[in-house]
Amino acid sequence: MAQDIIAPKRKIRRLRGSYISPFTQVIQRFIFAFMVIASIILMLLGKNDNILIERMKISVDATLAPVFTVLLYPIRTIEDFVLTIQEIGNLRQEVTRLRAEQAQLLQWQAVARQLEAENTSLRNLTHMPAEPAISFATGRVIGNYTGSFSHNVLVNIGEQQNISKGQIALTGDGLAGRVLEVSSHTSRVVLITDSSSRIPVINERTREKAILVGDNSDLPKIIYIQPDSFPQIGDRIVTSGDGGVFLPGMQIGIVTQLVGSGALVQPFVDLDRLEYLRLIRYNIPGLNELPPQKNSTP
């Protein structure tokens, strides 16, 4: 009996909750339409405002630019004046430095002339023959064949440029190698790190002679070193001129590591990045000439 009374009451409540009057529906539709229209109007106003602001900025800049130019002119003039004063001060210091260098160079020039005169006099007294004339040609490296089995490069000059087998290959940093093969327009240069390279060298500090041997690694090795004159790390190694193949005193590298009975040398030349090589002709007259063959026929 009680359930029959409660059920109709719940039904009436649900009907009251879901019921919306026509007036409310009209109001809701009006609000929705108003919000849509207001959003569109705000979007249009926002766009128009940006354009207006940009125009105002341009107008203000155009108006104030001449004013700023006039106001900044004295400041820029003062800045240019200060810079000019600083440059004058720097130029005076530069002139002082150049005069000091000129005086030093003139002093060295006088010493060089004196040494040249002494050298000429000593040569005349001892009847020492003059060094052979040196000629050279510079070529571009067109091929690098550095690997585990060989270290050599190909240069774009050959017999047409008077290049011959055995010539010395140099860069501005020092000795790079020696010409191994020559064709009409190219030359193959074996580098000082190649396993076939053997160069007579001398330690600049101890004046002890040895042989620089390549082993297809980046660091050639000095061998045949006297135990009482072993090199030290940092010693400079140059060519000794023994054999008359290489000019004496050509710089090769610096001792970087002592290994067993020898020492490893770091070449001055960056052999992995060779671009140009100067091929030097250095022949001592009579040294590489073969003796004339006797005619066996009567």
Side-chain angles (χ1 to χ4, degrees):
M1 188 65 181
Q3 294 177 354
D4 296 338
I5 296 172
I6 293 171
K9 289 182 179 179
R10 291 179 177 174
K11 189 175 180 180
I12 291 171
R13 290 175 182 171
R14 286 199 297 271
L15 290 174
R16 286 180 178 175
S18 59
Y19 175 74
I20 301 175
S21 65
F23 180 74
T24 303
Q25 292 179 359
V26 171
I27 294 299
Q28 289 178 348
R29 290 174 182 175
F30 177 76
I31 293 173
F32 177 75
F34 175 76
M35 295 296 292
V36 171
I37 294 171
S39 299
I40 295 172
I41 292 172
L42 289 174
M43 291 174 63
L44 294 175
L45 288 175
K47 186 176 181 180
N48 291 332
D49 284 342
N50 289 334
I51 295 173
L52 181 60
I53 290 171
E54 291 296 330
R55 289 179 178 176
M56 289 177 64
K57 287 182 177 177
I58 294 172
S59 299
V60 170
D61 292 340
T63 304
L64 296 180
V67 177
F68 287 148
T69 302
V70 173
L71 293 176
L72 291 175
Y73 180 76
I75 299 175
R76 290 176 179 172
T77 303
I78 294 173
E79 288 179 351
D80 293 340
F81 179 75
V82 172
L83 289 175
T84 303
I85 296 298
Q86 291 178 351
E87 290 178 355
I88 291 174
N90 294 333
L91 287 175
R92 286 184 176 178
Q93 294 178 358
E94 188 72 12
V95 169
T96 303
R97 186 181 65 81
L98 290 175
R99 285 177 177 173
E101 288 185 356
Q102 184 187 14
Q104 189 176 8
L105 289 175
L106 290 174
Q107 183 180 359
W108 280 112
Q109 185 183 25
V111 173
R113 287 179 176 176
Q114 183 180 359
L115 291 176
E116 183 181 10
E118 291 179 357
N119 192 17
T120 303
S121 300
L122 291 173
R123 284 182 180 276
N124 293 332
L125 288 175
T126 58
H127 299 286
M128 184 176 178
E131 290 289 338
I134 297 174
S135 60
F136 66 91
T138 302
R140 184 166 57 87
V141 176
I142 58 175
N144 193 326
Y145 305 97
T146 301
S148 302
F149 302 102
S150 65
H151 282 199
N152 58 78
V153 296
L154 193 65
V155 187
N156 67 340
I157 51 177
E159 293 175 346
Q160 296 293 330
Q161 291 77 29
N162 296 324
I163 304 300
S164 60
K165 182 178 178 181
Q167 287 189 214
I168 306 167
L170 287 175
T171 71
D173 297 324
L175 180 66
R178 188 182 179 195
V179 176
L180 180 65
E181 299 173 352
V182 182
S183 65
S184 59
H185 294 92
T186 60
S187 301
R188 185 174 298 278
V189 174
V190 58
L191 302 178
I192 60 175
T193 52
D194 189 88
S195 59
S196 63
S197 176
R198 301 289 187 275
I199 302 173
V201 296
I202 189 170
N203 189 328
E204 234 179 24
R205 181 180 60 86
T206 63
R207 310 306 297 174
E208 186 66 26
K209 295 181 178 179
I211 299 294
L212 183 73
V213 179
D215 58 355
N216 293 336
S217 67
D218 295 334
L219 303 176
K221 184 179 180 181
I222 300 176
I223 60 175
Y224 303 131
I225 305 173
Q226 296 297 328
D228 56 345
S229 59
F230 213 74
Q232 297 178 2
I233 293 177
D235 285 351
R236 287 169 54 89
I237 305 300
V238 300
T239 55
S240 64
D242 290 353
V245 177
F246 294 94
L247 279 164
M250 300 169 65
Q251 62 177 8
I252 295 178
I254 191 169
V255 175
T256 57
Q257 188 177 353
L258 306 178
V259 288
S261 59
L264 299 182
V265 176
Q266 175 65 54
F268 290 125
V269 179
D270 189 354
L271 299 174
D272 294 330
R273 294 180 176 83
L274 292 175
E275 296 183 359
Y276 294 92
L277 282 177
R278 180 180 299 173
L279 304 185
I280 295 179
R281 179 186 295 276
Y282 176 71
N283 287 326
I284 297 178
L287 183 62
N288 297 325
E289 297 176 359
L290 295 176
Q293 296 183 354
K294 296 181 179 179
N295 191 0
S296 58
T297 58

